[in-house]
Amino acid sequence: MYMPGRKLEELSFYRKLSIYGQKLGVDVFVFTPDDVDDNRSRIHALAYNQATRSWTRRWVGFPPIVYDRCRYHGADNYRKITRFRQKYTKLRYLSRPLANKWIIYRLLSEDENIAPHLPSTVHYKSRKQLEQFLKKHPIVYMKPKSGTGGRGIIRLQRLRGGRGYLMQGRDAERRILPAAKVTAAHIPVRLADWGLQSKYIVQQGIPLELKDGRVHDYRMLVQKDGQGKWQVTGCAGRIGPPFSVTSNLHGGGTAISMETLLKNRFGTEEKVKSIKETAYTLGLHIAKHLEDKFGTFCEAGIDLAVDPSGHVWLLEVNPKPSRDVFRLTGDLQTYRRAIRRPIEFALHLLQKKAAPKTDTKNLDFASPSQQSESD
């Protein structure tokens, strides 16, 4: 939560939202649950002054729409954010928490358009189960059910001749862990040594390595537009740093355009076009299916992999995505559209249904104090 002297998460993003909001006639305020005066039904929120290029605090009433960007990192944050959403259920939220990775996988597997793009996945229960899974898949990823930003992800590769497994990954702070050769019996021990005691899913490994050995994937941003329709705002590639099992930007990854990365791998324009069409169609199917299950929300970051044959796989869905990948590739048009669309969708909702008696031009944006965790 906000503390004096500490930066709010994504404050630069909120500054851009405020500027776009002013252009569209919308006041954007930023707050956390700690800024709420429950007794007087008001919020001590941050407002950006474009003329002075500075943030100031102002008492405001509750808004008709809240764009929840809070991350549930830390038990204290989780309790405060959950308590706020449970108490103020009548507020309209642009975004919503979905579910953990295991539940998302099970829900998406129900859709015949999505199921062929899902890697085989099980809920981790025992070492024996993990060994059986490794017999079917020479490379598997272990992912915390509720983890984000690449934290705690482990990659296991079966060694030739049944000589154990190569185990590598990132710890809970996203630090790269040194690769180690382990037996099946030592995998749980090594997880404990690394402080990784979370509940995991185990997932079929998709070949992600480029020629230089670094892993890569694609981040797609799917958003509601000003007419309330799902659109693929954009998609870009991410390449992880050396020795990393993930490509997340905040874990040291670099951004590259989707077209460039696909052309480097597959060569022909026809193949690249086919893969992009498949990926874009899949992204829209995923967003629509999750909306059917959880209700209206405004955006999702969808992590995709493309194997050497060109088949598109879904790796993960992030309900509170960053959009920095487009800025880092130099695609500023897509980056600006990615910032603008939540405000346009909010205006669509206000026009569709009469707003509460509070100021209909105010949109509030919630954020904890930690630095941005999603990419």
PDB file of all heavy atoms in Angstrom, residues 99-132:
ATOM      1  N   ALA A  99      -8.639 -16.412 -11.556  1.00  0.00           N
ATOM      2  CA  ALA A  99      -8.470 -17.599 -10.721  1.00  0.00           C
ATOM      3  C   ALA A  99      -7.024 -18.041 -10.863  1.00  0.00           C
ATOM      4  O   ALA A  99      -6.258 -17.482 -11.655  1.00  0.00           O
ATOM      5  CB  ALA A  99      -9.427 -18.713 -11.159  1.00  0.00           C
ATOM      6  N   ASN A 100      -6.637 -19.072 -10.094  1.00  0.00           N
ATOM      7  CA  ASN A 100      -5.259 -19.541 -10.219  1.00  0.00           C
ATOM      8  C   ASN A 100      -5.073 -20.318 -11.522  1.00  0.00           C
ATOM      9  O   ASN A 100      -6.021 -20.626 -12.238  1.00  0.00           O
ATOM     10  CB  ASN A 100      -4.854 -20.372  -8.992  1.00  0.00           C
ATOM     11  CG  ASN A 100      -5.649 -21.656  -8.859  1.00  0.00           C
ATOM     12  OD1 ASN A 100      -5.804 -22.422  -9.808  1.00  0.00           O
ATOM     13  ND2 ASN A 100      -6.160 -21.913  -7.656  1.00  0.00           N
ATOM     14  N   LYS A 101      -3.814 -20.621 -11.823  1.00  0.00           N
ATOM     15  CA  LYS A 101      -3.475 -21.235 -13.116  1.00  0.00           C
ATOM     16  C   LYS A 101      -4.170 -22.575 -13.337  1.00  0.00           C
ATOM     17  O   LYS A 101      -4.547 -22.900 -14.474  1.00  0.00           O
ATOM     18  CB  LYS A 101      -1.953 -21.416 -13.213  1.00  0.00           C
ATOM     19  CG  LYS A 101      -1.161 -20.129 -13.259  1.00  0.00           C
ATOM     20  CD  LYS A 101       0.326 -20.441 -13.381  1.00  0.00           C
ATOM     21  CE  LYS A 101       1.156 -19.164 -13.456  1.00  0.00           C
ATOM     22  NZ  LYS A 101       1.151 -18.424 -12.179  1.00  0.00           N
ATOM     23  N   TRP A 102      -4.355 -23.332 -12.277  1.00  0.00           N
ATOM     24  CA  TRP A 102      -4.975 -24.652 -12.424  1.00  0.00           C
ATOM     25  C   TRP A 102      -6.455 -24.518 -12.796  1.00  0.00           C
ATOM     26  O   TRP A 102      -6.947 -25.209 -13.688  1.00  0.00           O
ATOM     27  CB  TRP A 102      -4.808 -25.449 -11.134  1.00  0.00           C
ATOM     28  CG  TRP A 102      -5.486 -26.783 -11.136  1.00  0.00           C
ATOM     29  CD1 TRP A 102      -6.429 -27.227 -10.268  1.00  0.00           C
ATOM     30  CD2 TRP A 102      -5.276 -27.872 -12.064  1.00  0.00           C
ATOM     31  NE1 TRP A 102      -6.812 -28.506 -10.580  1.00  0.00           N
ATOM     32  CE2 TRP A 102      -6.119 -28.935 -11.684  1.00  0.00           C
ATOM     33  CE3 TRP A 102      -4.452 -28.044 -13.169  1.00  0.00           C
ATOM     34  CZ2 TRP A 102      -6.182 -30.133 -12.356  1.00  0.00           C
ATOM     35  CZ3 TRP A 102      -4.497 -29.256 -13.857  1.00  0.00           C
ATOM     36  CH2 TRP A 102      -5.349 -30.276 -13.455  1.00  0.00           C
ATOM     37  N   ILE A 103      -7.148 -23.620 -12.145  1.00  0.00           N
ATOM     38  CA  ILE A 103      -8.564 -23.422 -12.464  1.00  0.00           C
ATOM     39  C   ILE A 103      -8.720 -22.853 -13.866  1.00  0.00           C
ATOM     40  O   ILE A 103      -9.596 -23.284 -14.634  1.00  0.00           O
ATOM     41  CB  ILE A 103      -9.225 -22.495 -11.418  1.00  0.00           C
ATOM     42  CG1 ILE A 103      -9.246 -23.176 -10.049  1.00  0.00           C
ATOM     43  CG2 ILE A 103     -10.641 -22.117 -11.851  1.00  0.00           C
ATOM     44  CD1 ILE A 103      -9.767 -22.313  -8.926  1.00  0.00           C
ATOM     45  N   ILE A 104      -7.867 -21.903 -14.231  1.00  0.00           N
ATOM     46  CA  ILE A 104      -7.920 -21.323 -15.577  1.00  0.00           C
ATOM     47  C   ILE A 104      -7.709 -22.411 -16.622  1.00  0.00           C
ATOM     48  O   ILE A 104      -8.423 -22.479 -17.641  1.00  0.00           O
ATOM     49  CB  ILE A 104      -6.862 -20.219 -15.740  1.00  0.00           C
ATOM     50  CG1 ILE A 104      -7.217 -19.010 -14.863  1.00  0.00           C
ATOM     51  CG2 ILE A 104      -6.731 -19.792 -17.196  1.00  0.00           C
ATOM     52  CD1 ILE A 104      -8.443 -18.264 -15.304  1.00  0.00           C
ATOM     53  N   TYR A 105      -6.741 -23.294 -16.388  1.00  0.00           N
ATOM     54  CA  TYR A 105      -6.472 -24.378 -17.331  1.00  0.00           C
ATOM     55  C   TYR A 105      -7.706 -25.261 -17.507  1.00  0.00           C
ATOM     56  O   TYR A 105      -8.097 -25.592 -18.631  1.00  0.00           O
ATOM     57  CB  TYR A 105      -5.284 -25.207 -16.849  1.00  0.00           C
ATOM     58  CG  TYR A 105      -5.083 -26.488 -17.636  1.00  0.00           C
ATOM     59  CD1 TYR A 105      -4.406 -26.472 -18.855  1.00  0.00           C
ATOM     60  CD2 TYR A 105      -5.580 -27.705 -17.171  1.00  0.00           C
ATOM     61  CE1 TYR A 105      -4.240 -27.627 -19.594  1.00  0.00           C
ATOM     62  CE2 TYR A 105      -5.418 -28.872 -17.908  1.00  0.00           C
ATOM     63  CZ  TYR A 105      -4.744 -28.825 -19.119  1.00  0.00           C
ATOM     64  OH  TYR A 105      -4.583 -29.970 -19.856  1.00  0.00           O
ATOM     65  N   ARG A 106      -8.329 -25.631 -16.404  1.00  0.00           N
ATOM     66  CA  ARG A 106      -9.499 -26.513 -16.480  1.00  0.00           C
ATOM     67  C   ARG A 106     -10.656 -25.842 -17.210  1.00  0.00           C
ATOM     68  O   ARG A 106     -11.362 -26.478 -18.004  1.00  0.00           O
ATOM     69  CB  ARG A 106      -9.913 -26.923 -15.065  1.00  0.00           C
ATOM     70  CG  ARG A 106      -8.907 -27.863 -14.395  1.00  0.00           C
ATOM     71  CD  ARG A 106      -9.175 -28.006 -12.919  1.00  0.00           C
ATOM     72  NE  ARG A 106     -10.524 -28.509 -12.646  1.00  0.00           N
ATOM     73  CZ  ARG A 106     -11.081 -28.515 -11.441  1.00  0.00           C
ATOM     74  NH1 ARG A 106     -10.422 -28.009 -10.406  1.00  0.00           N
ATOM     75  NH2 ARG A 106     -12.280 -29.002 -11.265  1.00  0.00           N
ATOM     76  N   LEU A 107     -10.858 -24.560 -16.963  1.00  0.00           N
ATOM     77  CA  LEU A 107     -11.948 -23.848 -17.634  1.00  0.00           C
ATOM     78  C   LEU A 107     -11.694 -23.712 -19.133  1.00  0.00           C
ATOM     79  O   LEU A 107     -12.592 -23.914 -19.957  1.00  0.00           O
ATOM     80  CB  LEU A 107     -12.138 -22.467 -17.006  1.00  0.00           C
ATOM     81  CG  LEU A 107     -12.696 -22.430 -15.580  1.00  0.00           C
ATOM     82  CD1 LEU A 107     -12.706 -21.009 -15.049  1.00  0.00           C
ATOM     83  CD2 LEU A 107     -14.098 -23.022 -15.533  1.00  0.00           C
ATOM     84  N   LEU A 108     -10.471 -23.372 -19.494  1.00  0.00           N
ATOM     85  CA  LEU A 108     -10.158 -23.190 -20.909  1.00  0.00           C
ATOM     86  C   LEU A 108     -10.197 -24.507 -21.673  1.00  0.00           C
ATOM     87  O   LEU A 108     -10.508 -24.528 -22.866  1.00  0.00           O
ATOM     88  CB  LEU A 108      -8.776 -22.535 -21.065  1.00  0.00           C
ATOM     89  CG  LEU A 108      -8.671 -21.080 -20.597  1.00  0.00           C
ATOM     90  CD1 LEU A 108      -7.238 -20.582 -20.742  1.00  0.00           C
ATOM     91  CD2 LEU A 108      -9.618 -20.169 -21.382  1.00  0.00           C
ATOM     92  N   SER A 109      -9.889 -25.598 -20.994  1.00  0.00           N
ATOM     93  CA  SER A 109      -9.901 -26.900 -21.666  1.00  0.00           C
ATOM     94  C   SER A 109     -11.305 -27.329 -22.074  1.00  0.00           C
ATOM     95  O   SER A 109     -11.467 -28.255 -22.875  1.00  0.00           O
ATOM     96  CB  SER A 109      -9.266 -27.970 -20.762  1.00  0.00           C
ATOM     97  OG  SER A 109     -10.035 -28.165 -19.593  1.00  0.00           O
ATOM     98  N   GLU A 110     -12.319 -26.644 -21.560  1.00  0.00           N
ATOM     99  CA  GLU A 110     -13.702 -26.961 -21.924  1.00  0.00           C
ATOM    100  C   GLU A 110     -14.048 -26.462 -23.329  1.00  0.00           C
ATOM    101  O   GLU A 110     -15.015 -26.925 -23.924  1.00  0.00           O
ATOM    102  CB  GLU A 110     -14.665 -26.315 -20.915  1.00  0.00           C
ATOM    103  CG  GLU A 110     -14.519 -26.816 -19.493  1.00  0.00           C
ATOM    104  CD  GLU A 110     -15.369 -26.008 -18.517  1.00  0.00           C
ATOM    105  OE1 GLU A 110     -16.047 -25.054 -18.982  1.00  0.00           O
ATOM    106  OE2 GLU A 110     -15.352 -26.311 -17.317  1.00  0.00           O
ATOM    107  N   ASP A 111     -13.285 -25.499 -23.839  1.00  0.00           N
ATOM    108  CA  ASP A 111     -13.583 -24.893 -25.136  1.00  0.00           C
ATOM    109  C   ASP A 111     -12.827 -25.639 -26.237  1.00  0.00           C
ATOM    110  O   ASP A 111     -11.602 -25.716 -26.212  1.00  0.00           O
ATOM    111  CB  ASP A 111     -13.176 -23.413 -25.125  1.00  0.00           C
ATOM    112  CG  ASP A 111     -13.671 -22.662 -26.351  1.00  0.00           C
ATOM    113  OD1 ASP A 111     -13.375 -23.116 -27.480  1.00  0.00           O
ATOM    114  OD2 ASP A 111     -14.326 -21.624 -26.189  1.00  0.00           O
ATOM    115  N   GLU A 112     -13.547 -26.173 -27.217  1.00  0.00           N
ATOM    116  CA  GLU A 112     -12.922 -26.969 -28.275  1.00  0.00           C
ATOM    117  C   GLU A 112     -12.017 -26.141 -29.176  1.00  0.00           C
ATOM    118  O   GLU A 112     -11.139 -26.695 -29.859  1.00  0.00           O
ATOM    119  CB  GLU A 112     -14.002 -27.647 -29.113  1.00  0.00           C
ATOM    120  CG  GLU A 112     -14.934 -26.683 -29.832  1.00  0.00           C
ATOM    121  CD  GLU A 112     -16.001 -27.400 -30.644  1.00  0.00           C
ATOM    122  OE1 GLU A 112     -16.116 -28.634 -30.503  1.00  0.00           O
ATOM    123  OE2 GLU A 112     -16.703 -26.720 -31.417  1.00  0.00           O
ATOM    124  N   ASN A 113     -12.198 -24.823 -29.179  1.00  0.00           N
ATOM    125  CA  ASN A 113     -11.323 -23.961 -29.968  1.00  0.00           C
ATOM    126  C   ASN A 113     -10.001 -23.682 -29.262  1.00  0.00           C
ATOM    127  O   ASN A 113      -9.010 -23.320 -29.901  1.00  0.00           O
ATOM    128  CB  ASN A 113     -12.015 -22.629 -30.269  1.00  0.00           C
ATOM    129  CG  ASN A 113     -13.240 -22.784 -31.149  1.00  0.00           C
ATOM    130  OD1 ASN A 113     -13.163 -23.355 -32.224  1.00  0.00           O
ATOM    131  ND2 ASN A 113     -14.377 -22.301 -30.671  1.00  0.00           N
ATOM    132  N   ILE A 114      -9.996 -23.828 -27.943  1.00  0.00           N
ATOM    133  CA  ILE A 114      -8.811 -23.504 -27.143  1.00  0.00           C
ATOM    134  C   ILE A 114      -8.033 -24.757 -26.753  1.00  0.00           C
ATOM    135  O   ILE A 114      -6.793 -24.746 -26.711  1.00  0.00           O
ATOM    136  CB  ILE A 114      -9.233 -22.733 -25.873  1.00  0.00           C
ATOM    137  CG1 ILE A 114      -9.961 -21.438 -26.263  1.00  0.00           C
ATOM    138  CG2 ILE A 114      -8.032 -22.426 -24.992  1.00  0.00           C
ATOM    139  CD1 ILE A 114     -10.587 -20.704 -25.076  1.00  0.00           C
ATOM    140  N   ALA A 115      -8.733 -25.847 -26.474  1.00  0.00           N
ATOM    141  CA  ALA A 115      -8.109 -27.070 -25.947  1.00  0.00           C
ATOM    142  C   ALA A 115      -6.889 -27.552 -26.747  1.00  0.00           C
ATOM    143  O   ALA A 115      -5.891 -27.959 -26.143  1.00  0.00           O
ATOM    144  CB  ALA A 115      -9.155 -28.178 -25.842  1.00  0.00           C
ATOM    145  N   PRO A 116      -6.914 -27.524 -28.097  1.00  0.00           N
ATOM    146  CA  PRO A 116      -5.742 -28.006 -28.844  1.00  0.00           C
ATOM    147  C   PRO A 116      -4.484 -27.165 -28.636  1.00  0.00           C
ATOM    148  O   PRO A 116      -3.390 -27.588 -29.006  1.00  0.00           O
ATOM    149  CB  PRO A 116      -6.204 -27.922 -30.311  1.00  0.00           C
ATOM    150  CG  PRO A 116      -7.690 -27.936 -30.255  1.00  0.00           C
ATOM    151  CD  PRO A 116      -8.035 -27.195 -29.007  1.00  0.00           C
ATOM    152  N   HIS A 117      -4.635 -25.997 -28.023  1.00  0.00           N
ATOM    153  CA  HIS A 117      -3.505 -25.096 -27.820  1.00  0.00           C
ATOM    154  C   HIS A 117      -3.005 -25.104 -26.376  1.00  0.00           C
ATOM    155  O   HIS A 117      -2.135 -24.305 -26.018  1.00  0.00           O
ATOM    156  CB  HIS A 117      -3.899 -23.675 -28.220  1.00  0.00           C
ATOM    157  CG  HIS A 117      -4.349 -23.558 -29.649  1.00  0.00           C
ATOM    158  ND1 HIS A 117      -3.464 -23.425 -30.700  1.00  0.00           N
ATOM    159  CD2 HIS A 117      -5.591 -23.585 -30.197  1.00  0.00           C
ATOM    160  CE1 HIS A 117      -4.146 -23.359 -31.839  1.00  0.00           C
ATOM    161  NE2 HIS A 117      -5.434 -23.460 -31.552  1.00  0.00           N
ATOM    162  N   LEU A 118      -3.541 -26.017 -25.555  1.00  0.00           N
ATOM    163  CA  LEU A 118      -3.145 -26.095 -24.150  1.00  0.00           C
ATOM    164  C   LEU A 118      -2.114 -27.197 -23.939  1.00  0.00           C
ATOM    165  O   LEU A 118      -2.367 -28.355 -24.281  1.00  0.00           O
ATOM    166  CB  LEU A 118      -4.362 -26.380 -23.273  1.00  0.00           C
ATOM    167  CG  LEU A 118      -5.475 -25.330 -23.269  1.00  0.00           C
ATOM    168  CD1 LEU A 118      -6.634 -25.812 -22.406  1.00  0.00           C
ATOM    169  CD2 LEU A 118      -4.960 -23.998 -22.765  1.00  0.00           C
ATOM    170  N   PRO A 119      -0.956 -26.873 -23.374  1.00  0.00           N
ATOM    171  CA  PRO A 119      -0.005 -27.941 -23.021  1.00  0.00           C
ATOM    172  C   PRO A 119      -0.614 -28.855 -21.969  1.00  0.00           C
ATOM    173  O   PRO A 119      -1.422 -28.422 -21.146  1.00  0.00           O
ATOM    174  CB  PRO A 119       1.194 -27.168 -22.445  1.00  0.00           C
ATOM    175  CG  PRO A 119       1.007 -25.746 -22.876  1.00  0.00           C
ATOM    176  CD  PRO A 119      -0.471 -25.541 -22.999  1.00  0.00           C
ATOM    177  N   SER A 120      -0.240 -30.120 -22.004  1.00  0.00           N
ATOM    178  CA  SER A 120      -0.701 -31.053 -20.980  1.00  0.00           C
ATOM    179  C   SER A 120      -0.295 -30.526 -19.606  1.00  0.00           C
ATOM    180  O   SER A 120       0.851 -30.128 -19.395  1.00  0.00           O
ATOM    181  CB  SER A 120      -0.078 -32.433 -21.219  1.00  0.00           C
ATOM    182  OG  SER A 120      -0.469 -33.345 -20.219  1.00  0.00           O
ATOM    183  N   THR A 121      -1.244 -30.526 -18.666  1.00  0.00           N
ATOM    184  CA  THR A 121      -1.015 -29.909 -17.359  1.00  0.00           C
ATOM    185  C   THR A 121      -1.680 -30.738 -16.267  1.00  0.00           C
ATOM    186  O   THR A 121      -2.784 -31.238 -16.447  1.00  0.00           O
ATOM    187  CB  THR A 121      -1.581 -28.478 -17.326  1.00  0.00           C
ATOM    188  OG1 THR A 121      -1.023 -27.710 -18.395  1.00  0.00           O
ATOM    189  CG2 THR A 121      -1.278 -27.788 -16.007  1.00  0.00           C
ATOM    190  N   VAL A 122      -0.981 -30.892 -15.135  1.00  0.00           N
ATOM    191  CA  VAL A 122      -1.554 -31.590 -13.979  1.00  0.00           C
ATOM    192  C   VAL A 122      -1.285 -30.768 -12.729  1.00  0.00           C
ATOM    193  O   VAL A 122      -0.389 -29.925 -12.694  1.00  0.00           O
ATOM    194  CB  VAL A 122      -0.967 -33.007 -13.801  1.00  0.00           C
ATOM    195  CG1 VAL A 122      -1.302 -33.898 -14.986  1.00  0.00           C
ATOM    196  CG2 VAL A 122       0.542 -32.949 -13.567  1.00  0.00           C
ATOM    197  N   HIS A 123      -2.082 -31.039 -11.711  1.00  0.00           N
ATOM    198  CA  HIS A 123      -1.900 -30.405 -10.409  1.00  0.00           C
ATOM    199  C   HIS A 123      -0.869 -31.230  -9.639  1.00  0.00           C
ATOM    200  O   HIS A 123      -1.076 -32.413  -9.378  1.00  0.00           O
ATOM    201  CB  HIS A 123      -3.229 -30.371  -9.671  1.00  0.00           C
ATOM    202  CG  HIS A 123      -3.202 -29.572  -8.415  1.00  0.00           C
ATOM    203  ND1 HIS A 123      -4.196 -29.636  -7.469  1.00  0.00           N
ATOM    204  CD2 HIS A 123      -2.303 -28.680  -7.946  1.00  0.00           C
ATOM    205  CE1 HIS A 123      -3.904 -28.828  -6.469  1.00  0.00           C
ATOM    206  NE2 HIS A 123      -2.763 -28.239  -6.733  1.00  0.00           N
ATOM    207  N   TYR A 124       0.264 -30.623  -9.264  1.00  0.00           N
ATOM    208  CA  TYR A 124       1.355 -31.347  -8.604  1.00  0.00           C
ATOM    209  C   TYR A 124       0.916 -31.876  -7.243  1.00  0.00           C
ATOM    210  O   TYR A 124       0.479 -31.124  -6.378  1.00  0.00           O
ATOM    211  CB  TYR A 124       2.555 -30.411  -8.441  1.00  0.00           C
ATOM    212  CG  TYR A 124       3.711 -31.008  -7.670  1.00  0.00           C
ATOM    213  CD1 TYR A 124       4.315 -32.195  -8.082  1.00  0.00           C
ATOM    214  CD2 TYR A 124       4.215 -30.381  -6.541  1.00  0.00           C
ATOM    215  CE1 TYR A 124       5.378 -32.728  -7.392  1.00  0.00           C
ATOM    216  CE2 TYR A 124       5.281 -30.901  -5.840  1.00  0.00           C
ATOM    217  CZ  TYR A 124       5.860 -32.088  -6.261  1.00  0.00           C
ATOM    218  OH  TYR A 124       6.926 -32.621  -5.567  1.00  0.00           O
ATOM    219  N   LYS A 125       1.041 -33.198  -7.076  1.00  0.00           N
ATOM    220  CA  LYS A 125       0.626 -33.831  -5.830  1.00  0.00           C
ATOM    221  C   LYS A 125       1.738 -34.644  -5.178  1.00  0.00           C
ATOM    222  O   LYS A 125       1.796 -34.740  -3.955  1.00  0.00           O
ATOM    223  CB  LYS A 125      -0.587 -34.730  -6.085  1.00  0.00           C
ATOM    224  CG  LYS A 125      -1.829 -33.971  -6.531  1.00  0.00           C
ATOM    225  CD  LYS A 125      -2.998 -34.926  -6.763  1.00  0.00           C
ATOM    226  CE  LYS A 125      -4.243 -34.163  -7.195  1.00  0.00           C
ATOM    227  NZ  LYS A 125      -5.393 -35.075  -7.481  1.00  0.00           N
ATOM    228  N   SER A 126       2.594 -35.274  -6.002  1.00  0.00           N
ATOM    229  CA  SER A 126       3.607 -36.137  -5.409  1.00  0.00           C
ATOM    230  C   SER A 126       4.798 -36.290  -6.345  1.00  0.00           C
ATOM    231  O   SER A 126       4.712 -36.015  -7.542  1.00  0.00           O
ATOM    232  CB  SER A 126       3.025 -37.532  -5.120  1.00  0.00           C
ATOM    233  OG  SER A 126       2.712 -38.194  -6.345  1.00  0.00           O
ATOM    234  N   ARG A 127       5.894 -36.762  -5.787  1.00  0.00           N
ATOM    235  CA  ARG A 127       7.090 -37.015  -6.590  1.00  0.00           C
ATOM    236  C   ARG A 127       6.833 -38.107  -7.615  1.00  0.00           C
ATOM    237  O   ARG A 127       7.277 -38.023  -8.760  1.00  0.00           O
ATOM    238  CB  ARG A 127       8.238 -37.426  -5.664  1.00  0.00           C
ATOM    239  CG  ARG A 127       9.587 -37.524  -6.355  1.00  0.00           C
ATOM    240  CD  ARG A 127      10.593 -38.198  -5.461  1.00  0.00           C
ATOM    241  NE  ARG A 127      10.417 -39.645  -5.483  1.00  0.00           N
ATOM    242  CZ  ARG A 127      10.934 -40.474  -4.580  1.00  0.00           C
ATOM    243  NH1 ARG A 127      11.631 -40.014  -3.568  1.00  0.00           N
ATOM    244  NH2 ARG A 127      10.748 -41.779  -4.683  1.00  0.00           N
ATOM    245  N   LYS A 128       6.084 -39.125  -7.223  1.00  0.00           N
ATOM    246  CA  LYS A 128       5.796 -40.228  -8.148  1.00  0.00           C
ATOM    247  C   LYS A 128       5.001 -39.733  -9.354  1.00  0.00           C
ATOM    248  O   LYS A 128       5.277 -40.118 -10.492  1.00  0.00           O
ATOM    249  CB  LYS A 128       5.018 -41.322  -7.413  1.00  0.00           C
ATOM    250  CG  LYS A 128       4.756 -42.563  -8.259  1.00  0.00           C
ATOM    251  CD  LYS A 128       4.068 -43.649  -7.438  1.00  0.00           C
ATOM    252  CE  LYS A 128       3.829 -44.891  -8.292  1.00  0.00           C
ATOM    253  NZ  LYS A 128       3.154 -45.963  -7.505  1.00  0.00           N
ATOM    254  N   GLN A 129       4.027 -38.897  -9.082  1.00  0.00           N
ATOM    255  CA  GLN A 129       3.238 -38.328 -10.177  1.00  0.00           C
ATOM    256  C   GLN A 129       4.134 -37.518 -11.113  1.00  0.00           C
ATOM    257  O   GLN A 129       4.008 -37.588 -12.342  1.00  0.00           O
ATOM    258  CB  GLN A 129       2.139 -37.433  -9.602  1.00  0.00           C
ATOM    259  CG  GLN A 129       1.329 -36.675 -10.655  1.00  0.00           C
ATOM    260  CD  GLN A 129       0.812 -35.349 -10.107  1.00  0.00           C
ATOM    261  OE1 GLN A 129       1.542 -34.608  -9.447  1.00  0.00           O
ATOM    262  NE2 GLN A 129      -0.447 -35.067 -10.389  1.00  0.00           N
ATOM    263  N   LEU A 130       5.057 -36.749 -10.537  1.00  0.00           N
ATOM    264  CA  LEU A 130       5.976 -35.939 -11.342  1.00  0.00           C
ATOM    265  C   LEU A 130       6.864 -36.827 -12.209  1.00  0.00           C
ATOM    266  O   LEU A 130       7.104 -36.530 -13.387  1.00  0.00           O
ATOM    267  CB  LEU A 130       6.827 -35.059 -10.425  1.00  0.00           C
ATOM    268  CG  LEU A 130       7.876 -34.171 -11.097  1.00  0.00           C
ATOM    269  CD1 LEU A 130       7.216 -33.194 -12.057  1.00  0.00           C
ATOM    270  CD2 LEU A 130       8.673 -33.413 -10.032  1.00  0.00           C
ATOM    271  N   GLU A 131       7.345 -37.933 -11.641  1.00  0.00           N
ATOM    272  CA  GLU A 131       8.178 -38.864 -12.417  1.00  0.00           C
ATOM    273  C   GLU A 131       7.405 -39.439 -13.593  1.00  0.00           C
ATOM    274  O   GLU A 131       7.942 -39.558 -14.705  1.00  0.00           O
ATOM    275  CB  GLU A 131       8.671 -39.995 -11.504  1.00  0.00           C
ATOM    276  CG  GLU A 131       9.753 -39.591 -10.531  1.00  0.00           C
ATOM    277  CD  GLU A 131      10.274 -40.786  -9.740  1.00  0.00           C
ATOM    278  OE1 GLU A 131      11.070 -41.553 -10.312  1.00  0.00           O
ATOM    279  OE2 GLU A 131       9.854 -40.954  -8.584  1.00  0.00           O
ATOM    280  N   GLN A 132       6.142 -39.798 -13.377  1.00  0.00           N
ATOM    281  CA  GLN A 132       5.323 -40.331 -14.465  1.00  0.00           C
ATOM    282  C   GLN A 132       5.129 -39.294 -15.558  1.00  0.00           C
ATOM    283  O   GLN A 132       5.145 -39.606 -16.753  1.00  0.00           O
ATOM    284  CB  GLN A 132       3.959 -40.779 -13.919  1.00  0.00           C
ATOM    285  CG  GLN A 132       4.018 -41.979 -12.986  1.00  0.00           C
ATOM    286  CD  GLN A 132       4.529 -43.239 -13.694  1.00  0.00           C
ATOM    287  OE1 GLN A 132       4.206 -43.495 -14.854  1.00  0.00           O
ATOM    288  NE2 GLN A 132       5.352 -44.011 -12.987  1.00  0.00           N
TER     289      GLN A 132
END
